[in-house]
Each structure stands twice: as structure tokens, then as C-alpha cells.
Amino acid sequence: MKLLHVPLLVLGMLIAGQGFAATAQQEKMKTCNADATTKALKGDERKAFMSTCLKKDVPQTQQDKMKTCNADATTKALKGDERKAYMSDCLKKK
């Protein structure tokens, strides 16, 4: 019976530990929310502020990378396999 308790205890600790670790996005949300509350923002004003605040200092997303690489490939007039190879390489770099 004691052998069953140890794995259950370890599993419980792992699950609990993950629940307490705050991600960077959660921390950012907490900070922006506190700022909006301090400024007494409500409704659409608050939504707009939160949106802007959460977007600040965000690393380039995959979608942004795709747009940049696609624009570069178009500028270079790449087509077919040449374009595919360029896009693959470009998306891996950035």
C-alpha cells in the first residue's frame, strides 16, 4: 500500500508545481490589468488599452515572419522550388 502512495504523491507535486508557475504572458496580463485599474479605465477604453499594452515588446510571431519572408521572396521574384527553398530558409532564420 505504501508503494502506491509515493507515485501518487510525486504526481500530485508535479501537477501542483505546474499550476503555480506563471508564464510571461500571464505576468504581462497581470501588469497591464493593474495599470488599467490604476488609470480607472472601463469598457472600450480598457479594451483598447489592454490590447495595446499586451502587444508591446512582443517577439515577432510566425505570421509576421511569414509576411516578411513572403514580401522578400516577391521582391526577389522567386518562383517554384526556388521560392519554397527561400521561404523555408527564411522562416527558420528569423
Side-chain angles (χ1 to χ4, degrees), residues 51-93:
S51 178
T52 303
C53 182
L54 291 171
K55 288 179 183 175
K56 288 180 184 174
D57 301 324
V58 175
Q60 189 178 27
T61 65
Q62 186 66 21
Q63 191 173 18
D64 293 336
K65 289 180 196 176
M66 188 70 159
K67 286 179 185 177
T68 303
C69 293
N70 197 26
D72 292 346
T74 301
T75 302
K76 295 177 181 186
L78 300 175
K79 304 236 185 253
D81 290 339
E82 209 175 46
R83 185 182 185 92
K84 286 180 189 175
Y86 174 80
M87 289 294 288
S88 176
D89 188 49
C90 181
L91 291 170
K92 287 177 188 174
K93 285 181 184 176

Short mmCIF file of all heavy atoms in Angstrom, two decimals, residues 51-93:
data_model
loop_
_atom_site.label_atom_id
_atom_site.label_comp_id
_atom_site.label_asym_id
_atom_site.label_seq_id
_atom_site.Cartn_x
_atom_site.Cartn_y
_atom_site.Cartn_z
N SER A 51 -5.26 45.85 -25.13
CA SER A 51 -4.78 45.34 -26.41
C SER A 51 -3.41 45.93 -26.73
O SER A 51 -2.47 45.21 -27.09
CB SER A 51 -5.77 45.67 -27.52
OG SER A 51 -5.30 45.22 -28.75
N THR A 52 -3.29 47.24 -26.59
CA THR A 52 -2.03 47.92 -26.87
C THR A 52 -0.95 47.48 -25.89
O THR A 52 0.18 47.19 -26.29
CB THR A 52 -2.21 49.44 -26.78
OG1 THR A 52 -3.24 49.83 -27.69
CG2 THR A 52 -0.94 50.18 -27.12
N CYS A 53 -1.29 47.42 -24.63
CA CYS A 53 -0.33 47.05 -23.58
C CYS A 53 0.20 45.64 -23.80
O CYS A 53 1.39 45.39 -23.68
CB CYS A 53 -1.01 47.16 -22.22
SG CYS A 53 0.09 46.79 -20.83
N LEU A 54 -0.67 44.70 -24.12
CA LEU A 54 -0.25 43.31 -24.29
C LEU A 54 0.59 43.09 -25.55
O LEU A 54 1.36 42.14 -25.63
CB LEU A 54 -1.47 42.39 -24.32
CG LEU A 54 -2.21 42.27 -22.98
CD1 LEU A 54 -3.52 41.54 -23.16
CD2 LEU A 54 -1.34 41.58 -21.94
N LYS A 55 0.46 43.98 -26.52
CA LYS A 55 1.22 43.84 -27.77
C LYS A 55 2.63 44.43 -27.67
O LYS A 55 3.47 44.13 -28.50
CB LYS A 55 0.48 44.51 -28.93
CG LYS A 55 -0.75 43.75 -29.35
CD LYS A 55 -1.47 44.44 -30.48
CE LYS A 55 -2.73 43.69 -30.84
NZ LYS A 55 -3.51 44.40 -31.84
N LYS A 56 2.88 45.25 -26.67
CA LYS A 56 4.19 45.88 -26.51
C LYS A 56 5.26 44.83 -26.26
O LYS A 56 5.06 43.89 -25.50
CB LYS A 56 4.19 46.86 -25.34
CG LYS A 56 3.41 48.11 -25.60
CD LYS A 56 3.45 49.01 -24.39
CE LYS A 56 2.60 50.23 -24.59
NZ LYS A 56 2.51 51.04 -23.39
N ASP A 57 6.40 45.01 -26.90
CA ASP A 57 7.57 44.15 -26.70
C ASP A 57 7.28 42.67 -26.96
O ASP A 57 7.87 41.80 -26.34
CB ASP A 57 8.14 44.30 -25.28
CG ASP A 57 8.55 45.72 -24.98
OD1 ASP A 57 9.04 46.40 -25.91
OD2 ASP A 57 8.37 46.16 -23.83
N VAL A 58 6.38 42.40 -27.88
CA VAL A 58 6.08 41.01 -28.24
C VAL A 58 7.03 40.57 -29.32
O VAL A 58 7.24 41.28 -30.30
CB VAL A 58 4.61 40.90 -28.74
CG1 VAL A 58 4.33 39.49 -29.24
CG2 VAL A 58 3.65 41.29 -27.66
N PRO A 59 7.66 39.41 -29.16
CA PRO A 59 8.56 38.95 -30.21
C PRO A 59 7.80 38.70 -31.51
O PRO A 59 6.59 38.50 -31.50
CB PRO A 59 9.13 37.65 -29.65
CG PRO A 59 8.29 37.27 -28.51
CD PRO A 59 7.55 38.49 -28.06
N GLN A 60 8.53 38.71 -32.60
CA GLN A 60 7.91 38.53 -33.91
C GLN A 60 7.20 37.18 -33.97
O GLN A 60 7.78 36.15 -33.66
CB GLN A 60 8.97 38.62 -35.01
CG GLN A 60 8.40 38.67 -36.39
CD GLN A 60 9.47 38.81 -37.46
OE1 GLN A 60 10.60 38.40 -37.25
NE2 GLN A 60 9.10 39.38 -38.57
N THR A 61 5.95 37.19 -34.37
CA THR A 61 5.18 35.96 -34.45
C THR A 61 5.46 35.24 -35.75
O THR A 61 6.04 35.81 -36.68
CB THR A 61 3.67 36.25 -34.37
OG1 THR A 61 3.30 37.01 -35.53
CG2 THR A 61 3.30 37.01 -33.11
N GLN A 62 5.03 34.02 -35.83
CA GLN A 62 5.20 33.23 -37.05
C GLN A 62 4.51 33.92 -38.22
O GLN A 62 5.02 33.92 -39.33
CB GLN A 62 4.65 31.82 -36.84
CG GLN A 62 4.90 30.88 -37.99
CD GLN A 62 6.39 30.56 -38.20
OE1 GLN A 62 7.20 30.72 -37.30
NE2 GLN A 62 6.72 30.13 -39.38
N GLN A 63 3.36 34.51 -37.95
CA GLN A 63 2.62 35.19 -39.01
C GLN A 63 3.40 36.40 -39.53
O GLN A 63 3.47 36.64 -40.73
CB GLN A 63 1.26 35.63 -38.49
CG GLN A 63 0.32 36.10 -39.57
CD GLN A 63 -1.07 36.36 -39.03
OE1 GLN A 63 -1.26 36.52 -37.83
NE2 GLN A 63 -2.05 36.43 -39.91
N ASP A 64 4.02 37.15 -38.62
CA ASP A 64 4.84 38.29 -39.02
C ASP A 64 6.04 37.83 -39.84
O ASP A 64 6.41 38.46 -40.84
CB ASP A 64 5.33 39.07 -37.80
CG ASP A 64 4.22 39.76 -37.05
OD1 ASP A 64 3.16 40.05 -37.66
OD2 ASP A 64 4.40 40.02 -35.85
N LYS A 65 6.65 36.72 -39.41
CA LYS A 65 7.79 36.17 -40.15
C LYS A 65 7.37 35.80 -41.56
O LYS A 65 8.08 36.07 -42.53
CB LYS A 65 8.33 34.91 -39.46
CG LYS A 65 9.04 35.15 -38.17
CD LYS A 65 9.50 33.80 -37.63
CE LYS A 65 9.88 33.88 -36.19
NZ LYS A 65 10.25 32.57 -35.65
N MET A 66 6.20 35.17 -41.66
CA MET A 66 5.69 34.73 -42.96
C MET A 66 5.50 35.93 -43.88
O MET A 66 5.88 35.89 -45.06
CB MET A 66 4.38 33.97 -42.77
CG MET A 66 3.87 33.31 -43.99
SD MET A 66 4.93 31.92 -44.38
CE MET A 66 3.84 30.99 -45.38
N LYS A 67 4.92 37.00 -43.37
CA LYS A 67 4.69 38.20 -44.17
C LYS A 67 6.01 38.79 -44.67
O LYS A 67 6.14 39.15 -45.84
CB LYS A 67 3.94 39.26 -43.36
CG LYS A 67 2.48 38.96 -43.16
CD LYS A 67 1.83 40.06 -42.33
CE LYS A 67 0.39 39.73 -42.00
NZ LYS A 67 -0.23 40.73 -41.14
N THR A 68 6.98 38.89 -43.77
CA THR A 68 8.28 39.46 -44.13
C THR A 68 8.99 38.61 -45.17
O THR A 68 9.46 39.12 -46.19
CB THR A 68 9.18 39.59 -42.88
OG1 THR A 68 8.50 40.39 -41.91
CG2 THR A 68 10.51 40.21 -43.21
N CYS A 69 9.04 37.30 -44.94
CA CYS A 69 9.72 36.40 -45.87
C CYS A 69 9.01 36.38 -47.23
O CYS A 69 9.65 36.36 -48.28
CB CYS A 69 9.79 34.99 -45.31
SG CYS A 69 10.86 34.85 -43.86
N ASN A 70 7.68 36.39 -47.20
CA ASN A 70 6.90 36.39 -48.44
C ASN A 70 7.16 37.66 -49.24
O ASN A 70 7.33 37.60 -50.47
CB ASN A 70 5.41 36.25 -48.11
CG ASN A 70 4.59 35.83 -49.29
OD1 ASN A 70 5.08 35.19 -50.21
ND2 ASN A 70 3.33 36.19 -49.26
N ALA A 71 7.21 38.79 -48.56
CA ALA A 71 7.49 40.07 -49.24
C ALA A 71 8.89 40.06 -49.86
O ALA A 71 9.08 40.50 -51.00
CB ALA A 71 7.34 41.23 -48.27
N ASP A 72 9.86 39.52 -49.12
CA ASP A 72 11.23 39.43 -49.64
C ASP A 72 11.30 38.53 -50.86
O ASP A 72 11.98 38.85 -51.85
CB ASP A 72 12.19 38.91 -48.56
CG ASP A 72 12.38 39.89 -47.42
OD1 ASP A 72 12.01 41.06 -47.57
OD2 ASP A 72 12.92 39.46 -46.37
N ALA A 73 10.61 37.39 -50.80
CA ALA A 73 10.61 36.45 -51.94
C ALA A 73 9.96 37.09 -53.15
O ALA A 73 10.41 36.89 -54.29
CB ALA A 73 9.88 35.17 -51.56
N THR A 74 8.91 37.87 -52.96
CA THR A 74 8.23 38.55 -54.06
C THR A 74 9.15 39.61 -54.66
O THR A 74 9.24 39.74 -55.89
CB THR A 74 6.91 39.20 -53.57
OG1 THR A 74 6.08 38.16 -53.04
CG2 THR A 74 6.19 39.91 -54.70
N THR A 75 9.83 40.37 -53.80
CA THR A 75 10.77 41.39 -54.26
C THR A 75 11.88 40.77 -55.12
O THR A 75 12.29 41.34 -56.12
CB THR A 75 11.40 42.13 -53.06
OG1 THR A 75 10.35 42.71 -52.28
CG2 THR A 75 12.35 43.21 -53.51
N LYS A 76 12.31 39.59 -54.70
CA LYS A 76 13.37 38.89 -55.44
C LYS A 76 12.83 38.11 -56.64
O LYS A 76 13.60 37.46 -57.35
CB LYS A 76 14.11 37.94 -54.50
CG LYS A 76 14.86 38.66 -53.41
CD LYS A 76 15.52 37.68 -52.46
CE LYS A 76 16.25 38.47 -51.36
NZ LYS A 76 17.01 37.61 -50.49
N ALA A 77 11.53 38.17 -56.87
CA ALA A 77 10.86 37.50 -57.99
C ALA A 77 11.15 36.00 -58.03
O ALA A 77 11.35 35.41 -59.09
CB ALA A 77 11.23 38.16 -59.31
N LEU A 78 11.14 35.37 -56.84
CA LEU A 78 11.40 33.94 -56.77
C LEU A 78 10.12 33.16 -57.08
O LEU A 78 9.03 33.56 -56.70
CB LEU A 78 11.91 33.56 -55.38
CG LEU A 78 13.20 34.23 -54.94
CD1 LEU A 78 13.52 33.84 -53.50
CD2 LEU A 78 14.35 33.84 -55.85
N LYS A 79 10.28 32.03 -57.77
CA LYS A 79 9.13 31.21 -58.15
C LYS A 79 9.46 29.73 -57.92
O LYS A 79 10.62 29.34 -57.89
CB LYS A 79 8.81 31.41 -59.63
CG LYS A 79 8.56 32.87 -60.01
CD LYS A 79 7.22 33.03 -60.65
CE LYS A 79 7.03 34.45 -61.13
NZ LYS A 79 6.15 35.22 -60.37
N GLY A 80 8.41 28.93 -57.78
CA GLY A 80 8.54 27.48 -57.70
C GLY A 80 9.44 26.99 -56.57
O GLY A 80 9.36 27.44 -55.43
N ASP A 81 10.30 26.01 -56.91
CA ASP A 81 11.18 25.39 -55.92
C ASP A 81 12.15 26.40 -55.29
O ASP A 81 12.49 26.29 -54.11
CB ASP A 81 11.98 24.25 -56.55
CG ASP A 81 11.09 23.05 -56.88
OD1 ASP A 81 10.00 22.94 -56.28
OD2 ASP A 81 11.50 22.23 -57.73
N GLU A 82 12.56 27.37 -56.08
CA GLU A 82 13.48 28.39 -55.58
C GLU A 82 12.80 29.19 -54.45
O GLU A 82 13.40 29.48 -53.42
CB GLU A 82 13.86 29.33 -56.74
CG GLU A 82 15.22 29.95 -56.61
CD GLU A 82 15.57 30.75 -57.86
OE1 GLU A 82 14.74 31.53 -58.35
OE2 GLU A 82 16.71 30.60 -58.33
N ARG A 83 11.52 29.52 -54.66
CA ARG A 83 10.75 30.27 -53.67
C ARG A 83 10.53 29.42 -52.41
O ARG A 83 10.67 29.90 -51.29
CB ARG A 83 9.42 30.72 -54.25
CG ARG A 83 8.61 31.60 -53.30
CD ARG A 83 7.26 31.98 -53.91
NE ARG A 83 6.55 32.92 -53.06
CZ ARG A 83 6.61 34.23 -53.17
NH1 ARG A 83 7.36 34.79 -54.10
NH2 ARG A 83 5.94 35.00 -52.34
N LYS A 84 10.18 28.15 -52.61
CA LYS A 84 9.95 27.25 -51.47
C LYS A 84 11.20 27.13 -50.61
O LYS A 84 11.14 27.19 -49.39
CB LYS A 84 9.54 25.86 -51.96
CG LYS A 84 8.14 25.78 -52.47
CD LYS A 84 7.83 24.36 -52.93
CE LYS A 84 6.50 24.29 -53.66
NZ LYS A 84 6.26 22.94 -54.19
N ALA A 85 12.34 26.96 -51.27
CA ALA A 85 13.61 26.84 -50.54
C ALA A 85 13.92 28.13 -49.78
O ALA A 85 14.34 28.09 -48.62
CB ALA A 85 14.74 26.50 -51.51
N TYR A 86 13.71 29.27 -50.44
CA TYR A 86 13.97 30.55 -49.80
C TYR A 86 13.06 30.74 -48.58
O TYR A 86 13.51 31.13 -47.49
CB TYR A 86 13.77 31.71 -50.78
CG TYR A 86 13.90 33.04 -50.09
CD1 TYR A 86 15.16 33.59 -49.82
CD2 TYR A 86 12.78 33.76 -49.67
CE1 TYR A 86 15.29 34.78 -49.15
CE2 TYR A 86 12.90 34.96 -49.00
CZ TYR A 86 14.16 35.48 -48.75
OH TYR A 86 14.29 36.65 -48.07
N MET A 87 11.77 30.45 -48.75
CA MET A 87 10.81 30.63 -47.66
C MET A 87 11.16 29.73 -46.47
O MET A 87 11.13 30.17 -45.31
CB MET A 87 9.38 30.31 -48.15
CG MET A 87 8.82 31.34 -49.11
SD MET A 87 8.55 32.95 -48.36
CE MET A 87 7.15 32.61 -47.31
N SER A 88 11.52 28.51 -46.75
CA SER A 88 11.88 27.57 -45.69
C SER A 88 13.09 28.10 -44.91
O SER A 88 13.08 28.13 -43.68
CB SER A 88 12.19 26.20 -46.29
OG SER A 88 12.63 25.32 -45.30
N ASP A 89 14.11 28.51 -45.63
CA ASP A 89 15.31 29.02 -45.00
C ASP A 89 15.02 30.31 -44.22
O ASP A 89 15.48 30.49 -43.09
CB ASP A 89 16.39 29.28 -46.07
CG ASP A 89 17.73 29.63 -45.47
OD1 ASP A 89 18.19 28.90 -44.56
OD2 ASP A 89 18.31 30.65 -45.90
N CYS A 90 14.26 31.20 -44.82
CA CYS A 90 13.94 32.49 -44.20
C CYS A 90 13.16 32.29 -42.89
O CYS A 90 13.45 32.92 -41.89
CB CYS A 90 13.12 33.34 -45.18
SG CYS A 90 12.68 34.97 -44.55
N LEU A 91 12.19 31.38 -42.91
CA LEU A 91 11.36 31.17 -41.71
C LEU A 91 12.15 30.50 -40.58
O LEU A 91 11.84 30.69 -39.42
CB LEU A 91 10.13 30.33 -42.06
CG LEU A 91 9.11 31.05 -42.95
CD1 LEU A 91 8.06 30.10 -43.44
CD2 LEU A 91 8.47 32.21 -42.19
N LYS A 92 13.17 29.75 -40.93
CA LYS A 92 14.00 29.12 -39.90
C LYS A 92 14.94 30.12 -39.24
O LYS A 92 15.23 30.02 -38.06
CB LYS A 92 14.82 27.97 -40.51
CG LYS A 92 13.99 26.77 -40.85
CD LYS A 92 14.86 25.72 -41.52
CE LYS A 92 13.99 24.58 -42.04
NZ LYS A 92 14.78 23.63 -42.82
N LYS A 93 15.42 31.09 -40.02
CA LYS A 93 16.41 32.08 -39.53
C LYS A 93 15.81 33.05 -38.52
O LYS A 93 16.39 33.33 -37.51
CB LYS A 93 16.97 32.90 -40.69
CG LYS A 93 17.95 32.16 -41.55
CD LYS A 93 18.44 33.09 -42.63
CE LYS A 93 19.36 32.39 -43.60
NZ LYS A 93 19.74 33.29 -44.71
#
